[in-house]
Every structure is written in structure tokens, then in C-alpha cells.
Amino acid sequence: DTGVSQDPRHKITKRGQNVTFRCDPISEHNRLYWYRQTLGQGPEFLTYFQNEAQLEKSRLLSDRFSAERPKGSFSTLEIQRTEQGDSAMYLCASSIGLLYEQYFGPGTRLTVT
Amino acid sequence: KNQVEQSPQSLIILEGKNCTLQCNYTVSPFSNLRWYKQDTGRGPVSLTIMTFSENTKSNGRYTATLDADTKQSSLHITASQLSDSASYICVVSEKGGSYIPTFGRGTSLIVHP
């Protein structure tokens, strides 16, 4: 399968714990996006990378959130000191360029208890 | 603030019937508009993309229209199938800079046999 993959698919954690998600984009896609989606809502933009450079971050991305794409391939999204409000689906997408279609991964469902 | 509003919020139709979903946006300056289909628990999948100069785009039984003057788009589904049951999300990107997309909340479509 050459699509966007995300790991894990589901994560249950206790409030206050740290979690890290991984996204593997389609190879040769230089742009990678992170979104958050809560039930009944559309995805909300969090941040995006062009190659290894993080070019923009949403104000939704508080200090507890950090994303990296160290070699311009896979990316990680870490949430520190999780809160119940962080419970959501975290989606990753990649594209070959600025105006090209974004291909989404299956998402990581986070539940904070 | 850029906004994308979709209607109806939910829709139930019988298999074989047609339906039309609406999207109004305030994103400016406009770059492109996409319609995505999102099955429950999965990432969105692109159906169509339209730029400013395009007013109709088809993808099989899906036809999207765009009126850039009134900032409205519609997605028409012909001869609905049970597999069309999903959330349909309208996404509008702003021109210039990062082209960060704004997502609508989606229309939840249920097709009954």
C-alpha cells in the first residue's frame, strides 16, 4: 500500500500523559499536513511541513503540541500533558506540491480519560 | 475570518435517488475548492477540485459546481448507492502564502435501501 499511513490507529491515555503519533506520507510528497477532527466537525488545520521545514502553525497548536519532520520523510506529532479536550481524530495528509491534492491517512483516534 | 458553511447538516435519501449538497464560503482571496468524501473512521478522500475559472467538474456520479461570484458550490450525487453513505466535506483554500485550507463541518448523507 503506497498511501499515507498513520500509527497508531487508536490510542487511549490518561490525562497528563504524553503521546506521540507517527505519519508516513506518500513517498516523494514534499508537503505534509496535520489536522485535528472532533466528532461532527470538519478537520481543523494544525501545522504543515515543506520537506523538513515547519512553515506554519495554527493557533490551535498550543505549547503542549510539537511536530517534527526531521528528514523530510515521516513526521511525528507529540502532545505533552494530555487533557480531555485533546480527545479527537488526528489526521495526516501529504501532497506533491502547493496546489496539488492532499491525500489523507486513516487517522489516529486519541481518547484521553 | 474565513468560513465554510455546509447545508444540510444531514440528509437521508433512498437508494437510486439524486441529491444536492450545498457549500457557501467567505474565503478570500479564493484559490480552489475541493469536495471530499469521508467514510466513518477514515480519512477524507478527494472527489473534485475546482479553481476560479471552473464552474463544473464531474467525477463519475458526482458533479460539483462553483459560482465564484456568489461564493457558492454544490455537489450533486446521481443515482445514489448505499456506499455513498458518508460525510461530504467542502474545503476552500485561500490564495497566497501558505494556501491553508478551511474545512466545512460536512454533510452527513445516509442512503437507505
Side-chain angles (χ1 to χ4, degrees), chain A residues 28-54:
Chain A
E28 299 177 357
H29 279 195
N30 59 26
R31 288 171 72 92
L32 185 148
Y33 304 79
W34 284 101
Y35 297 91
R36 182 174 68 188
Q37 185 176 26
T38 53
L39 199 62
Q41 303 290 323
E44 296 174 295
F45 168 78
L46 292 178
T47 187
Y48 87 93
F49 293 83
Q50 182 164 314
N51 299 314
E52 66 274 11
Q54 187 174 18

PDB file of all heavy atoms in Angstrom, chain A residues 28-54:
ATOM      1  N   GLU A  28       7.969  10.873  -1.939  1.00  0.00           N
ATOM      2  CA  GLU A  28       8.169  11.989  -2.882  1.00  0.00           C
ATOM      3  C   GLU A  28       7.181  13.131  -2.682  1.00  0.00           C
ATOM      4  O   GLU A  28       7.247  14.121  -3.410  1.00  0.00           O
ATOM      5  CB  GLU A  28       8.125  11.515  -4.336  1.00  0.00           C
ATOM      6  CG  GLU A  28       9.210  10.506  -4.656  1.00  0.00           C
ATOM      7  CD  GLU A  28       9.115   9.977  -6.067  1.00  0.00           C
ATOM      8  OE1 GLU A  28       8.173  10.353  -6.788  1.00  0.00           O
ATOM      9  OE2 GLU A  28       9.987   9.196  -6.449  1.00  0.00           O
ATOM     10  N   HIS A  29       6.259  13.001  -1.737  1.00  0.00           N
ATOM     11  CA  HIS A  29       5.401  14.137  -1.395  1.00  0.00           C
ATOM     12  C   HIS A  29       6.176  15.042  -0.452  1.00  0.00           C
ATOM     13  O   HIS A  29       6.564  14.631   0.643  1.00  0.00           O
ATOM     14  CB  HIS A  29       4.106  13.666  -0.719  1.00  0.00           C
ATOM     15  CG  HIS A  29       3.079  13.201  -1.678  1.00  0.00           C
ATOM     16  ND1 HIS A  29       1.759  13.024  -1.327  1.00  0.00           N
ATOM     17  CD2 HIS A  29       3.155  12.883  -2.990  1.00  0.00           C
ATOM     18  CE1 HIS A  29       1.071  12.628  -2.384  1.00  0.00           C
ATOM     19  NE2 HIS A  29       1.898  12.530  -3.400  1.00  0.00           N
ATOM     20  N   ASN A  30       6.375  16.306  -0.852  1.00  0.00           N
ATOM     21  CA  ASN A  30       7.217  17.150  -0.018  1.00  0.00           C
ATOM     22  C   ASN A  30       6.421  17.941   1.009  1.00  0.00           C
ATOM     23  O   ASN A  30       6.987  18.522   1.918  1.00  0.00           O
ATOM     24  CB  ASN A  30       8.086  18.085  -0.870  1.00  0.00           C
ATOM     25  CG  ASN A  30       7.251  18.991  -1.760  1.00  0.00           C
ATOM     26  OD1 ASN A  30       6.097  19.293  -1.463  1.00  0.00           O
ATOM     27  ND2 ASN A  30       7.833  19.437  -2.863  1.00  0.00           N
ATOM     28  N   ARG A  31       5.092  17.955   0.868  1.00  0.00           N
ATOM     29  CA  ARG A  31       4.295  18.685   1.845  1.00  0.00           C
ATOM     30  C   ARG A  31       3.517  17.702   2.723  1.00  0.00           C
ATOM     31  O   ARG A  31       2.935  16.735   2.227  1.00  0.00           O
ATOM     32  CB  ARG A  31       3.341  19.652   1.139  1.00  0.00           C
ATOM     33  CG  ARG A  31       4.079  20.843   0.527  1.00  0.00           C
ATOM     34  CD  ARG A  31       3.182  21.679  -0.342  1.00  0.00           C
ATOM     35  NE  ARG A  31       2.204  22.467   0.361  1.00  0.00           N
ATOM     36  CZ  ARG A  31       2.395  23.728   0.750  1.00  0.00           C
ATOM     37  NH1 ARG A  31       3.555  24.326   0.536  1.00  0.00           N
ATOM     38  NH2 ARG A  31       1.444  24.380   1.365  1.00  0.00           N
ATOM     39  N   LEU A  32       3.540  17.976   4.004  1.00  0.00           N
ATOM     40  CA  LEU A  32       2.874  17.108   4.960  1.00  0.00           C
ATOM     41  C   LEU A  32       2.083  17.978   5.937  1.00  0.00           C
ATOM     42  O   LEU A  32       2.589  18.985   6.446  1.00  0.00           O
ATOM     43  CB  LEU A  32       3.901  16.263   5.716  1.00  0.00           C
ATOM     44  CG  LEU A  32       3.377  15.197   6.680  1.00  0.00           C
ATOM     45  CD1 LEU A  32       4.334  14.009   6.730  1.00  0.00           C
ATOM     46  CD2 LEU A  32       3.130  15.754   8.070  1.00  0.00           C
ATOM     47  N   TYR A  33       0.838  17.598   6.179  1.00  0.00           N
ATOM     48  CA  TYR A  33      -0.089  18.388   6.990  1.00  0.00           C
ATOM     49  C   TYR A  33      -0.592  17.556   8.172  1.00  0.00           C
ATOM     50  O   TYR A  33      -0.808  16.353   8.052  1.00  0.00           O
ATOM     51  CB  TYR A  33      -1.309  18.807   6.164  1.00  0.00           C
ATOM     52  CG  TYR A  33      -1.020  19.563   4.894  1.00  0.00           C
ATOM     53  CD1 TYR A  33      -0.599  18.903   3.746  1.00  0.00           C
ATOM     54  CD2 TYR A  33      -1.184  20.945   4.829  1.00  0.00           C
ATOM     55  CE1 TYR A  33      -0.344  19.588   2.574  1.00  0.00           C
ATOM     56  CE2 TYR A  33      -0.943  21.648   3.656  1.00  0.00           C
ATOM     57  CZ  TYR A  33      -0.524  20.964   2.538  1.00  0.00           C
ATOM     58  OH  TYR A  33      -0.273  21.653   1.387  1.00  0.00           O
ATOM     59  N   TRP A  34      -0.840  18.238   9.266  1.00  0.00           N
ATOM     60  CA  TRP A  34      -1.524  17.637  10.413  1.00  0.00           C
ATOM     61  C   TRP A  34      -2.826  18.397  10.650  1.00  0.00           C
ATOM     62  O   TRP A  34      -2.849  19.636  10.637  1.00  0.00           O
ATOM     63  CB  TRP A  34      -0.675  17.701  11.677  1.00  0.00           C
ATOM     64  CG  TRP A  34       0.442  16.709  11.739  1.00  0.00           C
ATOM     65  CD1 TRP A  34       1.765  16.918  11.484  1.00  0.00           C
ATOM     66  CD2 TRP A  34       0.334  15.328  12.120  1.00  0.00           C
ATOM     67  NE1 TRP A  34       2.492  15.767  11.666  1.00  0.00           N
ATOM     68  CE2 TRP A  34       1.631  14.779  12.060  1.00  0.00           C
ATOM     69  CE3 TRP A  34      -0.723  14.503  12.508  1.00  0.00           C
ATOM     70  CZ2 TRP A  34       1.894  13.449  12.371  1.00  0.00           C
ATOM     71  CZ3 TRP A  34      -0.470  13.186  12.817  1.00  0.00           C
ATOM     72  CH2 TRP A  34       0.829  12.669  12.746  1.00  0.00           C
ATOM     73  N   TYR A  35      -3.904  17.606  10.901  1.00  0.00           N
ATOM     74  CA  TYR A  35      -5.208  18.169  11.200  1.00  0.00           C
ATOM     75  C   TYR A  35      -5.769  17.474  12.430  1.00  0.00           C
ATOM     76  O   TYR A  35      -5.408  16.344  12.762  1.00  0.00           O
ATOM     77  CB  TYR A  35      -6.192  17.944  10.039  1.00  0.00           C
ATOM     78  CG  TYR A  35      -5.829  18.605   8.747  1.00  0.00           C
ATOM     79  CD1 TYR A  35      -5.065  17.948   7.785  1.00  0.00           C
ATOM     80  CD2 TYR A  35      -6.269  19.899   8.458  1.00  0.00           C
ATOM     81  CE1 TYR A  35      -4.749  18.550   6.585  1.00  0.00           C
ATOM     82  CE2 TYR A  35      -5.953  20.508   7.255  1.00  0.00           C
ATOM     83  CZ  TYR A  35      -5.195  19.821   6.323  1.00  0.00           C
ATOM     84  OH  TYR A  35      -4.888  20.430   5.131  1.00  0.00           O
ATOM     85  N   ARG A  36      -6.711  18.144  13.086  1.00  0.00           N
ATOM     86  CA  ARG A  36      -7.445  17.541  14.181  1.00  0.00           C
ATOM     87  C   ARG A  36      -8.929  17.599  13.838  1.00  0.00           C
ATOM     88  O   ARG A  36      -9.414  18.620  13.339  1.00  0.00           O
ATOM     89  CB  ARG A  36      -7.182  18.293  15.489  1.00  0.00           C
ATOM     90  CG  ARG A  36      -7.889  17.699  16.696  1.00  0.00           C
ATOM     91  CD  ARG A  36      -7.462  18.398  17.963  1.00  0.00           C
ATOM     92  NE  ARG A  36      -7.927  19.779  18.028  1.00  0.00           N
ATOM     93  CZ  ARG A  36      -7.556  20.636  18.968  1.00  0.00           C
ATOM     94  NH1 ARG A  36      -6.705  20.260  19.912  1.00  0.00           N
ATOM     95  NH2 ARG A  36      -8.027  21.858  18.961  1.00  0.00           N
ATOM     96  N   GLN A  37      -9.617  16.507  14.113  1.00  0.00           N
ATOM     97  CA  GLN A  37     -11.046  16.448  13.814  1.00  0.00           C
ATOM     98  C   GLN A  37     -11.805  15.898  15.013  1.00  0.00           C
ATOM     99  O   GLN A  37     -11.523  14.803  15.477  1.00  0.00           O
ATOM    100  CB  GLN A  37     -11.313  15.578  12.583  1.00  0.00           C
ATOM    101  CG  GLN A  37     -12.765  15.567  12.134  1.00  0.00           C
ATOM    102  CD  GLN A  37     -12.976  14.769  10.863  1.00  0.00           C
ATOM    103  OE1 GLN A  37     -12.220  13.859  10.554  1.00  0.00           O
ATOM    104  NE2 GLN A  37     -14.012  15.115  10.105  1.00  0.00           N
ATOM    105  N   THR A  38     -12.772  16.664  15.502  1.00  0.00           N
ATOM    106  CA  THR A  38     -13.633  16.189  16.576  1.00  0.00           C
ATOM    107  C   THR A  38     -14.959  15.753  15.980  1.00  0.00           C
ATOM    108  O   THR A  38     -15.298  16.113  14.843  1.00  0.00           O
ATOM    109  CB  THR A  38     -13.847  17.275  17.643  1.00  0.00           C
ATOM    110  OG1 THR A  38     -14.311  18.473  17.001  1.00  0.00           O
ATOM    111  CG2 THR A  38     -12.551  17.579  18.375  1.00  0.00           C
ATOM    112  N   LEU A  39     -15.712  15.013  16.752  1.00  0.00           N
ATOM    113  CA  LEU A  39     -16.945  14.397  16.259  1.00  0.00           C
ATOM    114  C   LEU A  39     -17.916  15.433  15.707  1.00  0.00           C
ATOM    115  O   LEU A  39     -18.206  16.436  16.351  1.00  0.00           O
ATOM    116  CB  LEU A  39     -17.597  13.615  17.396  1.00  0.00           C
ATOM    117  CG  LEU A  39     -18.631  12.562  16.978  1.00  0.00           C
ATOM    118  CD1 LEU A  39     -17.967  11.494  16.115  1.00  0.00           C
ATOM    119  CD2 LEU A  39     -19.266  11.939  18.203  1.00  0.00           C
ATOM    120  N   GLY A  40     -18.362  15.215  14.483  1.00  0.00           N
ATOM    121  CA  GLY A  40     -19.342  16.104  13.885  1.00  0.00           C
ATOM    122  C   GLY A  40     -18.772  17.377  13.295  1.00  0.00           C
ATOM    123  O   GLY A  40     -19.523  18.241  12.831  1.00  0.00           O
ATOM    124  N   GLN A  41     -17.455  17.494  13.316  1.00  0.00           N
ATOM    125  CA  GLN A  41     -16.802  18.681  12.778  1.00  0.00           C
ATOM    126  C   GLN A  41     -15.900  18.300  11.609  1.00  0.00           C
ATOM    127  O   GLN A  41     -15.489  17.147  11.467  1.00  0.00           O
ATOM    128  CB  GLN A  41     -15.946  19.354  13.856  1.00  0.00           C
ATOM    129  CG  GLN A  41     -16.704  19.736  15.114  1.00  0.00           C
ATOM    130  CD  GLN A  41     -17.662  20.870  14.888  1.00  0.00           C
ATOM    131  OE1 GLN A  41     -17.388  21.789  14.134  1.00  0.00           O
ATOM    132  NE2 GLN A  41     -18.816  20.802  15.531  1.00  0.00           N
ATOM    133  N   GLY A  42     -15.588  19.299  10.788  1.00  0.00           N
ATOM    134  CA  GLY A  42     -14.594  19.071   9.764  1.00  0.00           C
ATOM    135  C   GLY A  42     -13.197  19.156  10.359  1.00  0.00           C
ATOM    136  O   GLY A  42     -13.018  19.652  11.464  1.00  0.00           O
ATOM    137  N   PRO A  43     -12.203  18.657   9.648  1.00  0.00           N
ATOM    138  CA  PRO A  43     -10.817  18.750  10.141  1.00  0.00           C
ATOM    139  C   PRO A  43     -10.394  20.210  10.329  1.00  0.00           C
ATOM    140  O   PRO A  43     -10.797  21.089   9.579  1.00  0.00           O
ATOM    141  CB  PRO A  43     -10.009  18.091   9.020  1.00  0.00           C
ATOM    142  CG  PRO A  43     -10.979  17.183   8.321  1.00  0.00           C
ATOM    143  CD  PRO A  43     -12.292  17.898   8.393  1.00  0.00           C
ATOM    144  N   GLU A  44      -9.582  20.434  11.357  1.00  0.00           N
ATOM    145  CA  GLU A  44      -9.005  21.760  11.614  1.00  0.00           C
ATOM    146  C   GLU A  44      -7.494  21.683  11.408  1.00  0.00           C
ATOM    147  O   GLU A  44      -6.837  20.782  11.937  1.00  0.00           O
ATOM    148  CB  GLU A  44      -9.301  22.204  13.037  1.00  0.00           C
ATOM    149  CG  GLU A  44     -10.774  22.404  13.351  1.00  0.00           C
ATOM    150  CD  GLU A  44     -10.976  22.697  14.823  1.00  0.00           C
ATOM    151  OE1 GLU A  44     -10.697  21.805  15.652  1.00  0.00           O
ATOM    152  OE2 GLU A  44     -11.400  23.811  15.154  1.00  0.00           O
ATOM    153  N   PHE A  45      -6.978  22.645  10.681  1.00  0.00           N
ATOM    154  CA  PHE A  45      -5.546  22.672  10.385  1.00  0.00           C
ATOM    155  C   PHE A  45      -4.740  22.885  11.652  1.00  0.00           C
ATOM    156  O   PHE A  45      -5.063  23.742  12.473  1.00  0.00           O
ATOM    157  CB  PHE A  45      -5.262  23.794   9.383  1.00  0.00           C
ATOM    158  CG  PHE A  45      -3.809  24.121   9.210  1.00  0.00           C
ATOM    159  CD1 PHE A  45      -3.003  23.322   8.435  1.00  0.00           C
ATOM    160  CD2 PHE A  45      -3.266  25.229   9.833  1.00  0.00           C
ATOM    161  CE1 PHE A  45      -1.658  23.625   8.274  1.00  0.00           C
ATOM    162  CE2 PHE A  45      -1.925  25.547   9.684  1.00  0.00           C
ATOM    163  CZ  PHE A  45      -1.121  24.741   8.894  1.00  0.00           C
ATOM    164  N   LEU A  46      -3.665  22.115  11.806  1.00  0.00           N
ATOM    165  CA  LEU A  46      -2.752  22.286  12.935  1.00  0.00           C
ATOM    166  C   LEU A  46      -1.410  22.858  12.479  1.00  0.00           C
ATOM    167  O   LEU A  46      -0.943  23.863  13.002  1.00  0.00           O
ATOM    168  CB  LEU A  46      -2.510  20.955  13.649  1.00  0.00           C
ATOM    169  CG  LEU A  46      -3.701  20.350  14.395  1.00  0.00           C
ATOM    170  CD1 LEU A  46      -3.315  19.013  15.005  1.00  0.00           C
ATOM    171  CD2 LEU A  46      -4.217  21.295  15.462  1.00  0.00           C
ATOM    172  N   THR A  47      -0.781  22.180  11.507  1.00  0.00           N
ATOM    173  CA  THR A  47       0.534  22.614  11.062  1.00  0.00           C
ATOM    174  C   THR A  47       0.875  21.925   9.754  1.00  0.00           C
ATOM    175  O   THR A  47       0.222  20.945   9.382  1.00  0.00           O
ATOM    176  CB  THR A  47       1.612  22.293  12.112  1.00  0.00           C
ATOM    177  OG1 THR A  47       2.860  22.884  11.708  1.00  0.00           O
ATOM    178  CG2 THR A  47       1.802  20.786  12.271  1.00  0.00           C
ATOM    179  N   TYR A  48       1.870  22.460   9.027  1.00  0.00           N
ATOM    180  CA  TYR A  48       2.331  21.752   7.850  1.00  0.00           C
ATOM    181  C   TYR A  48       3.818  21.944   7.628  1.00  0.00           C
ATOM    182  O   TYR A  48       4.424  22.910   8.123  1.00  0.00           O
ATOM    183  CB  TYR A  48       1.520  22.127   6.606  1.00  0.00           C
ATOM    184  CG  TYR A  48       1.994  23.338   5.836  1.00  0.00           C
ATOM    185  CD1 TYR A  48       2.872  23.198   4.757  1.00  0.00           C
ATOM    186  CD2 TYR A  48       1.550  24.604   6.169  1.00  0.00           C
ATOM    187  CE1 TYR A  48       3.285  24.298   4.035  1.00  0.00           C
ATOM    188  CE2 TYR A  48       1.962  25.709   5.454  1.00  0.00           C
ATOM    189  CZ  TYR A  48       2.819  25.552   4.384  1.00  0.00           C
ATOM    190  OH  TYR A  48       3.232  26.650   3.684  1.00  0.00           O
ATOM    191  N   PHE A  49       4.387  20.998   6.907  1.00  0.00           N
ATOM    192  CA  PHE A  49       5.803  20.991   6.583  1.00  0.00           C
ATOM    193  C   PHE A  49       5.990  20.994   5.068  1.00  0.00           C
ATOM    194  O   PHE A  49       5.227  20.373   4.332  1.00  0.00           O
ATOM    195  CB  PHE A  49       6.475  19.714   7.121  1.00  0.00           C
ATOM    196  CG  PHE A  49       6.520  19.624   8.611  1.00  0.00           C
ATOM    197  CD1 PHE A  49       5.431  19.158   9.329  1.00  0.00           C
ATOM    198  CD2 PHE A  49       7.658  19.995   9.311  1.00  0.00           C
ATOM    199  CE1 PHE A  49       5.461  19.070  10.706  1.00  0.00           C
ATOM    200  CE2 PHE A  49       7.709  19.909  10.691  1.00  0.00           C
ATOM    201  CZ  PHE A  49       6.602  19.446  11.388  1.00  0.00           C
ATOM    202  N   GLN A  50       7.018  21.683   4.645  1.00  0.00           N
ATOM    203  CA  GLN A  50       7.520  21.502   3.299  1.00  0.00           C
ATOM    204  C   GLN A  50       8.914  20.931   3.463  1.00  0.00           C
ATOM    205  O   GLN A  50       9.812  21.592   3.973  1.00  0.00           O
ATOM    206  CB  GLN A  50       7.570  22.809   2.514  1.00  0.00           C
ATOM    207  CG  GLN A  50       8.062  22.608   1.086  1.00  0.00           C
ATOM    208  CD  GLN A  50       7.757  23.790   0.194  1.00  0.00           C
ATOM    209  OE1 GLN A  50       6.648  24.315   0.206  1.00  0.00           O
ATOM    210  NE2 GLN A  50       8.750  24.216  -0.559  1.00  0.00           N
ATOM    211  N   ASN A  51       9.043  19.691   3.033  1.00  0.00           N
ATOM    212  CA  ASN A  51      10.255  18.919   3.345  1.00  0.00           C
ATOM    213  C   ASN A  51      10.417  18.891   4.869  1.00  0.00           C
ATOM    214  O   ASN A  51       9.484  18.562   5.573  1.00  0.00           O
ATOM    215  CB  ASN A  51      11.440  19.477   2.597  1.00  0.00           C
ATOM    216  CG  ASN A  51      11.245  19.407   1.094  1.00  0.00           C
ATOM    217  OD1 ASN A  51      10.817  18.385   0.556  1.00  0.00           O
ATOM    218  ND2 ASN A  51      11.508  20.505   0.400  1.00  0.00           N
ATOM    219  N   GLU A  52      11.582  19.280   5.379  1.00  0.00           N
ATOM    220  CA  GLU A  52      11.756  19.203   6.831  1.00  0.00           C
ATOM    221  C   GLU A  52      11.396  20.492   7.549  1.00  0.00           C
ATOM    222  O   GLU A  52      11.399  20.556   8.784  1.00  0.00           O
ATOM    223  CB  GLU A  52      13.211  18.822   7.159  1.00  0.00           C
ATOM    224  CG  GLU A  52      14.239  19.859   6.770  1.00  0.00           C
ATOM    225  CD  GLU A  52      14.688  19.721   5.329  1.00  0.00           C
ATOM    226  OE1 GLU A  52      14.052  18.954   4.580  1.00  0.00           O
ATOM    227  OE2 GLU A  52      15.676  20.377   4.954  1.00  0.00           O
ATOM    228  N   ALA A  53      11.045  21.521   6.795  1.00  0.00           N
ATOM    229  CA  ALA A  53      10.762  22.822   7.390  1.00  0.00           C
ATOM    230  C   ALA A  53       9.287  22.945   7.780  1.00  0.00           C
ATOM    231  O   ALA A  53       8.392  22.732   6.962  1.00  0.00           O
ATOM    232  CB  ALA A  53      11.134  23.927   6.409  1.00  0.00           C
ATOM    233  N   GLN A  54       9.054  23.324   9.026  1.00  0.00           N
ATOM    234  CA  GLN A  54       7.693  23.568   9.503  1.00  0.00           C
ATOM    235  C   GLN A  54       7.352  25.013   9.172  1.00  0.00           C
ATOM    236  O   GLN A  54       7.890  25.946   9.767  1.00  0.00           O
ATOM    237  CB  GLN A  54       7.590  23.322  11.001  1.00  0.00           C
ATOM    238  CG  GLN A  54       6.178  23.386  11.548  1.00  0.00           C
ATOM    239  CD  GLN A  54       6.104  23.000  13.026  1.00  0.00           C
ATOM    240  OE1 GLN A  54       7.108  22.995  13.730  1.00  0.00           O
ATOM    241  NE2 GLN A  54       4.923  22.667  13.504  1.00  0.00           N
TER     242      GLN A  54
END
